[in-house]
Amino acid sequence: MKYYIIAGEASGDLHGSNLIKALKKEDPSAEIRCWGGDLMQKAGGELAKHYKDMAFMGFLEVIKNIPTIFKNIAYCKEDIQKFQPDVVIFIDFSGFNLRIAKWAKENGFKTNYYISPQIWASREGRIKKIKRDIDAMYVILPFEKDFYEKKHNYPVHFVGHPLIDAIASTPLQDNETFRKENGLDPDKPIIALLPGSRKQEVQKMLDVMLSVKKDFPDHQFVIAGAPSLSDDFYAPFLKGDTVNYVSNKTYTLLKHSHAALVTSGTATLETALFGIPQVVCYKGNWISYQIAKRIITLDYISLVNLIMDREVVKELIQNELTTKNLQKELSKIVEGPERERILSDYKLLKEKLGGEGASQLAARLIVENA
């Protein structure tokens, strides 16, 4: 069959790539065209548009790029019409995908959604569009099944979390090789900095993350470079030889880290699945944050705390994200009882998410439902 997959950012590219591999197992002669990134292309998808051309962060950035967004929407519709897929598969990226889903449904294409829009966090009214435009929904968080089925009477499939698959299938360097190849001290414990994948958020986050470095002289700070950003972009933050940087090796970095400072998002869950205590950080554009604060209805911003429905890891949001607070919270997780509590909670988190196989189960259901 022919599959058209739309993902709009780095995490979608990762999960989309594993879905493509799984689809090819279920349907060996599958033709797959996609919006995504290098990983989806490497997995066997024919790339129609790279997510680097689509990822705009925050309300102001979206407004500034409205002409580009509308051009992308028009091109996407034309491309789907030309490809004539048996099923269109949406991966998160709801602002764009729900628009395309409405058009696709009206034009007779079968619509599947893998990794639900976070309507349980904000703009819950989007459930009407999902009920109208999506033929099948595959959710990855345990609480989403109850949200859709009990609260909104909309049946969904819980397939488990694909990050477990992604981590299991990623080859990782051993500690000695990793440190040697990247010029890291062989003895100092690593504090990983995961500042995000978009230019605007990385620029906002790295300065404050690096401001606590002086308070931890016995540790080395290592920035996780995003695949979507160039080495030159990170150069101003490296400050001579005092800060290290690794490109496109986040999982290996996490595996060998002692603690982490993480911008909210998928990376908080990745860090937890590697068993690394973390402080979650977020600081957005002031106007964007004020708007978001009035729309989002959640008690937490990190996936770790949302899944556990309590504070497992500390979240420093907006004005709380200061050098003083960050130093205080990082000190707690470098050693001591707070660190041990987090590690214990991570074990419970893994149990809630289930085991491997989310990508393959989603692929099987997509093929069966198409």
Side-chain angles (χ1 to χ4, degrees):
M1 293 192 299
K2 297 170 78 173
Y3 307 84
Y4 198 102
I5 306 175
I6 307 173
E9 50 202 353
S11 61
D13 183 35
L14 172 65
H15 300 319
S17 70
N18 285 320
L19 181 64
I20 288 172
K21 292 172 193 172
L23 283 169
K24 285 183 171 288
K25 284 184 184 175
E26 297 291 328
D27 183 1
S29 50
E31 290 181 57
I32 299 172
R33 188 161 170 82
C34 58
W35 291 48
D38 300 344
L39 296 176
M40 290 173 75
Q41 188 172 36
K42 189 177 175 184
E46 181 187 3
L47 205 60
K49 176 78 75 171
H50 201 290
Y51 71 78
K52 288 179 187 176
D53 301 326
M54 310 162 58
F56 306 114
M57 179 191 173
F59 296 96
L60 286 182
E61 289 79 11
V62 168
I63 289 167
K64 284 192 291 185
N65 287 283
I66 278 176
T68 303
I69 292 167
F70 278 113
K71 279 181 189 174
N72 286 339
I73 289 170
Y75 169 62
C76 186
K77 291 174 182 178
E78 289 170 19
D79 201 52
I80 292 171
Q81 194 71 263
K82 185 177 176 183
F83 186 65
Q84 286 293 306
D86 294 286
V87 58
V88 183
I89 304 164
F90 305 99
I91 299 180
D92 199 1
F93 199 48
S94 64
F96 187 89
N97 275 336
L98 286 175
R99 285 176 180 269
I100 300 297
K102 180 177 187 292
W103 171 88
K105 182 72 173 175
E106 288 171 350
N107 283 271
F109 293 104
K110 187 166 278 289
T111 56
N112 282 199
Y113 220 121
Y114 176 50
I115 306 181
S116 163
Q118 295 178 349
I119 68 168
W120 35 266
S122 65
R123 293 175 289 154
E124 195 170 328
R126 289 177 291 173
I127 184 63
K128 293 175 185 174
K129 295 178 181 179
I130 288 171
K131 282 184 167 185
R132 181 190 67 204
D133 300 329
I134 303 301
D135 295 314
M137 172 75 76
Y138 310 100
V139 301
I140 63 171
L141 297 170
F143 61 80
E144 289 179 318
K145 189 168 175 66
D146 280 351
F147 172 83
Y148 276 111
E149 294 187 345
K150 292 183 179 177
K151 189 170 184 182
H152 292 291
N153 195 29
Y154 177 69
V156 299
H157 306 275
F158 172 61
V159 295
H161 207 292
L163 270 183
I164 296 170
D165 292 341
I167 289 169
S169 65
T170 302
L172 304 174
Q173 288 179 307
D174 65 83
N175 187 39
E176 185 179 347
T177 305
F178 172 67
R179 287 176 182 249
K180 192 172 182 180
E181 283 191 4
N182 292 282
L184 305 180
D185 189 302
D187 301 314
K188 277 188 175 183
I190 293 171
I191 294 176
L193 307 183
L194 279 65
S197 60
R198 299 181 179 113
K199 282 185 179 181
Q200 297 101 321
E201 67 183 347
V202 173
Q203 287 165 338
K204 283 188 177 81
M205 304 308 304
L206 266 181
D207 279 335
V208 68
M209 287 179 172
L210 289 169
S211 70
V212 300
K213 182 183 175 299
K214 63 185 183 300
D215 299 306
F216 299 88
D218 297 329
H219 294 76
Q220 55 189 323
F221 282 54
V222 183
I223 300 167
S228 56
L229 300 174
S230 69
D231 293 348
D232 290 343
F233 173 79
Y234 290 97
F237 299 101
L238 301 184
K239 307 182 188 217
D241 296 326
T242 63
V243 179
N244 295 93
Y245 154 80
V246 298
S247 177
N248 206 13
K249 291 183 181 176
T250 301
Y251 282 5
T252 300
L253 172 61
L254 283 173
K255 179 176 172 62
H256 303 306
S257 291
H258 183 71
L261 305 179
V262 186
T263 297
S264 64
T266 306
T268 62
L269 186 55
E270 290 171 315
T271 302
L273 290 173
F274 274 99
I276 307 303
Q278 63 185 298
V279 180
V280 177
C281 308
Y282 176 81
K283 183 170 267 187
N285 172 285
W286 186 84
I287 295 173
S288 295
Y289 175 70
Q290 294 302 320
I291 295 169
K293 193 167 68 169
R294 287 156 176 78
I295 294 173
I296 294 171
T297 57
L298 301 174
D299 294 328
Y300 307 106
I301 62 168
S302 71
L303 281 171
V304 176
N305 292 343
L306 285 168
I307 293 166
M308 295 295 284
D309 197 24
R310 58 186 171 85
E311 186 180 84
V312 172
V313 294
K314 184 66 178 179
E315 299 177 353
L316 295 176
I317 304 170
Q318 209 66 7
N319 294 335
E320 292 177 353
L321 183 59
T322 64
T323 299
K324 182 180 177 182
N325 288 343
L326 199 54
Q327 188 274 333
K328 175 184 167 188
E329 296 303 330
L330 182 55
S331 295
K332 289 180 186 177
I333 65 170
V334 164
E335 59 182 336
E338 187 72 1
R339 177 181 178 83
E340 298 309 312
R341 180 196 61 74
I342 290 173
L343 292 174
S344 177
D345 281 341
Y346 280 172
K347 291 176 184 175
L348 299 175
L349 173 73
K350 283 186 182 180
E351 289 173 16
K352 276 199 168 196
L353 290 174
E356 294 176 33
S359 307
Q360 204 63 50
L361 177 55
R364 190 177 313 131
L365 290 167
I366 288 167
V367 172
E368 288 173 1
N369 289 328

